[in-house]
């Protein structure tokens, strides 16, 4: 079961922002976390069944985005 804060973190990750950095600012304002810490928590959350049950489309989108970033990073390291 997810806490209210965990649900709010997933909700924020699923929002669309018009300007770059807006999501990072919102994470600082809402949760008092640095952007790095926020994304670490979100990445941990999206591995849980509770997160999938709560926001399946958001979790699927974030996992796809993460896989793409990992592939790009591995190409750059070659």
């Amino acid at each position: 079961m997810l806490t209210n804060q965990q649900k709010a973190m997933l909700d924020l990750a699923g929002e669309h922002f018009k300007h770059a950095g807006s999501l990072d600012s919102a994470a600082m304002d809402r949760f008092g976390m640095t952007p790095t810490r926020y994304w670490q928590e979100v990445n941990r959350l999206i591995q849980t069944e509770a997160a999938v049950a709560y926001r399946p489309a958001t979790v699927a989108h974030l996992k796809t985005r993460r896989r793409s970033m990992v592939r790009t990073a591995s190409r750059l390291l070659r």
Side-chain angles (χ1 to χ4, degrees):
M1 179 151 244
L2 297 175
T3 66
N4 288 337
Q5 180 169 328
Q6 291 170 325
K7 289 177 182 178
M9 291 173 76
L10 288 171
D11 292 340
L12 179 63
E15 288 182 28
H16 298 283
F17 291 88
K18 188 174 184 177
H19 302 288
S22 296
L23 188 141
D24 294 343
S25 296
M28 288 285 291
D29 294 343
R30 294 182 195 180
F31 308 113
M33 295 180 180
T34 64
T36 300
R37 183 70 183 137
Y38 169 76
W39 285 111
Q40 287 172 340
E41 287 296 316
V42 169
N43 280 316
R44 186 186 60 75
L45 278 173
I46 65 174
Q47 298 306 310
T48 66
E49 290 298 320
V52 173
Y54 176 66
R55 294 286 302 255
T58 298
V59 169
H61 173 75
L62 291 170
K63 284 182 176 182
T64 299
R65 210 171 100 196
R66 185 175 61 189
R67 278 191 301 270
S68 174
M69 291 172 69
V70 167
R71 275 191 302 249
T72 300
S74 68
R75 282 187 216 135
L76 292 174
L77 294 174
R78 291 182 191 170

